[in-house]
Amino acid sequence: DLECGTSVDELLSDDPDAALQALGRALSAVVHCPVPLLAAVRGRCLGSGAALAVGAQFLFAQEDALLGFHETTVGLIAPGASALLPWRPAILRRMVLTGELIDMHQLELSGLVTAATANDPALAAFAFYAEHLAPCSPFALRNAVAAADPGLEFDRRLADSLARVKRMLDESPDPLEGVSAFLEARTPRWAGRA
């Protein structure tokens, strides 16, 4: 299980801004990393932790790992993943909007996951690095990463998504109800309907 990112109950604290700002800084660091970034996922990787993994240029996962964005099922949005939508395969939109957990092999076929492996994904990432990245010019790799960096457009989308989460927390009882229901393992009773 990925033990970083923002926990949904942190967003309901007296100071959700701190959690949102920390998520923004972490995701910005991942997306704007000046060298190719490889991520490895084992077990459950959900919400903002999944956004950090998806933000990497290359994502390796165990076949039985769970990668997903459950925020809409608890009355919120996935701010990090939402900001990444224009630069990632279309399957990410489906995951962000529905909260659906999709089979790792399907995510691999979509291009969201570089490789789904029965073995340790960190070893698969290392082998990929050794075979495909290590032989490359470090100068060329840094420049290729810089050329592909979504830049200020990503920063604007991320800031907008984080501000939207804050507004959602202020404007509707749905996030409190959704997170409470999640923590209590019950079905939420939504105040508003789309």
Side-chain angles (χ1 to χ4, degrees):
D1 292 355
L2 184 64
E3 296 297 332
C4 67
T6 304
S7 172
V8 289
D9 56 343
E10 283 182 278
L11 295 176
L12 300 181
S13 70
D14 291 336
D15 187 17
D17 290 338
L20 292 171
Q21 289 172 9
L23 170 61
R25 285 190 305 274
L27 191 56
S28 235
V30 166
V31 169
H32 298 306
C33 183
V35 295
L37 190 60
L38 290 75
V41 173
R42 285 177 275 223
R44 295 180 317 135
C45 183
L46 305 171
S48 59
L52 293 170
V54 169
Q57 283 90 2
F58 301 100
L59 175 56
F60 299 83
Q62 273 187 322
E63 293 171 335
D64 60 351
L66 297 176
L67 180 74
F69 305 94
H70 61 285
E71 286 88 343
T72 57
T73 67
V74 296
L76 291 165
I77 64 167
S82 295
L84 285 165
L85 286 175
W87 299 280
R88 296 299 183 266
I91 200 163
L92 181 60
R93 182 175 311 278
R94 174 177 162 188
M95 296 169 70
V96 167
L97 293 177
T98 67
E100 183 179 2
L101 297 173
I102 297 174
D103 174 80
M104 278 300 161
H105 289 292
Q106 191 174 351
L107 294 180
E108 181 180 20
L109 289 173
S110 77
L112 186 64
V113 170
T114 306
T117 177
N119 302 316
D120 185 343
L123 293 176
F126 180 77
F128 178 89
Y129 175 83
E131 182 177 344
H132 299 286
L133 298 175
C136 297
S137 157
F139 176 75
L141 280 175
R142 281 192 305 276
N143 278 280
V145 169
D149 188 312
L152 294 176
E153 177 63 17
F154 169 78
D155 295 336
R156 186 197 61 74
R157 290 181 62 83
L158 180 59
D160 179 64
S161 293
L162 293 170
R164 186 176 303 274
V165 170
K166 178 70 171 103
R167 285 193 308 274
M168 291 174 73
L169 293 168
D170 292 339
E171 294 173 1
S172 173
D174 279 0
L176 176 59
E177 169 57 22
V179 172
S180 297
F182 172 76
L183 295 173
E184 297 166 10
R186 62 174 173 80
T187 302
R189 295 179 293 277
W190 304 121
R193 287 282 177 210

